[in-house]
Amino acid sequence: MGSLFLRNLNYFIGAAFVVMLVIALVGTVSGLVSNPPQETVDEAFHVHPTPLHLESDGPFGKFNDRQLQRGFQVYKEVCSACHSLKHVAFRNLEDIGYSEGQVKTIAAEYQVPTFDPKTGDRDTRPGVPADTFPIVYYPGQGSPPDLSMIAKAREGGAAYIHALITGYRNPKTFTKDGKSLMKEFPDFKVPDGLHFNPYFANLNIAMPPPLTKEGQVQYMDGTRPTIDQMSKDVAAFLVWAAEPKLEARHRAGVAAVIFLLIFIGLAFGAYKNIWRDIKH
């Protein structure tokens, strides 16, 4: 009798718990329907980048060395003043079509910090191909974001880089989906020293627009240096910097798939040969 009472009590408690959960769920859903959460300023102004199609995309993608060299030129003349490539060695530039002599010349244009453990003295010397790109420091501010892995560190990769570079806007005239958001958020202001960019996570970025006019970089191969073209080229270069062995990985992947297909075919043939005379 006592065990039956305890069992019924357990059923009652379980049923009451389920009922309370259902009541809470219904109350939450009805509350969201009647009073939907208000969109924040960041959510309202933020824009996701549109896809950027590069020749390196897809399982059969390959790098375009001419584009990578143009992208490196943009990085060297515009970005390198603030951003380093500490995981890229100068000699790696041979992989995108530069000769050994050109790499030596490029490396020598940079000053690489040195340290003498005997005297404790710090100095600089011209770079050599074995050196990595030196880290850029600002006194009292540390080092700006390194760009070696930026294409992998940011969602969207190359598309995000291209959108960020070309996405600076005036918030007063900025529209999204055909409507001006300043009417909805009239108190929105860009803090002094920052710049409005709807592709940046919190909208306001300290970096001023890096590319401001056509021809800011004069391409040596004759390509028209529009802002859009320069931003695409540097985005492609940073994809290579983040994954320089991408082509080798693609080749290995294709070879592995071909091997597996051949192996499956041989295994199926062996199966049919062994079991063909055996009746079930």
Side-chain angles (χ1 to χ4, degrees):
M1 189 69 178
S3 59
L4 179 62
F5 172 77
L6 291 176
R7 186 161 54 249
N8 292 334
L9 180 62
N10 289 334
Y11 288 151
F12 175 77
I13 294 174
F17 182 72
V18 171
V19 170
M20 293 301 294
L21 285 178
V22 172
I23 293 174
L25 178 61
V26 171
T28 302
V29 172
S30 61
L32 290 175
V33 172
S34 59
N35 296 301
Q38 296 296 316
E39 191 176 35
T40 65
V41 175
D42 290 357
E43 292 172 340
F45 280 84
H46 185 64
V47 178
H48 293 283
T50 56
L52 180 67
H53 301 291
L54 300 174
E55 293 184 34
S56 58
D57 293 344
F60 303 102
K62 294 183 178 180
F63 288 121
N64 182 329
D65 286 351
R66 289 184 60 185
Q67 183 176 42
L68 297 184
Q69 289 183 17
R70 294 196 303 267
F72 171 67
Q73 189 179 349
V74 175
Y75 165 77
K76 182 173 178 290
E77 297 184 18
V78 179
C79 309
S80 64
C82 299
H83 299 279
S84 55
L85 287 173
K86 64 181 180 181
H87 296 298
V88 179
F90 293 110
R91 62 188 174 194
N92 295 142
L93 295 176
E94 293 186 30
D95 296 340
I96 63 174
Y98 286 102
S99 67
E100 182 179 349
Q102 289 175 314
V103 170
K104 288 182 178 179
T105 300
I106 293 171
E109 294 175 354
Y110 288 81
Q111 291 296 312
V112 177
T114 61
F115 174 72
D116 189 339
K118 295 181 179 179
T119 62
D121 293 335
R122 296 183 181 274
D123 202 354
T124 60
R125 60 166 174 78
V128 297
D131 292 322
T132 57
F133 282 81
I135 298 175
V136 180
Y137 286 103
Y138 281 97
Q141 300 180 26
S143 176
D146 180 84
L147 299 184
S148 304
M149 303 296 293
I150 198 70
K152 283 186 168 294
R154 297 292 185 269
E155 183 181 0
Y160 169 80
I161 296 170
H162 172 259
L164 185 73
I165 292 174
T166 59
Y168 290 83
R169 299 288 186 272
N170 182 344
K172 295 181 179 180
T173 58
F174 174 70
T175 59
K176 182 179 178 182
D177 299 330
K179 63 178 182 179
S180 174
L181 295 178
M182 290 302 294
K183 294 181 179 179
E184 188 175 352
F185 301 96
D187 295 331
F188 175 76
K189 293 182 180 180
V190 179
D192 293 338
L194 299 181
H195 307 270
F196 175 71
N197 191 318
Y199 295 98
F200 192 61
N202 63 1
L203 306 179
N204 301 311
I205 184 172
M207 180 179 71
L211 299 174
T212 57
K213 61 180 180 180
E214 181 176 331
Q216 188 171 338
V217 174
Q218 292 296 321
Y219 285 144
M220 293 181 288
D221 65 356
T223 301
R224 183 181 174 185
T226 63
I227 292 178
D228 183 70
Q229 183 66 54
M230 289 185 289
S231 63
K232 286 181 180 177
D233 292 340
V234 75
F237 171 73
L238 293 176
V239 169
W240 169 82
E243 194 169 7
K245 301 301 182 183
L246 179 139
E247 291 183 0
R249 183 169 61 82
H250 284 176
R251 289 193 296 269
V254 171
V257 170
I258 293 174
F259 170 79
L260 289 174
L261 291 175
I262 295 174
F263 176 78
I264 291 172
L266 292 174
F268 182 75
Y271 164 78
K272 297 292 288 185
N273 184 57
I274 293 172
W275 292 93
R276 64 183 176 182
D277 296 327
I278 299 177
K279 298 181 179 180
H280 298 284

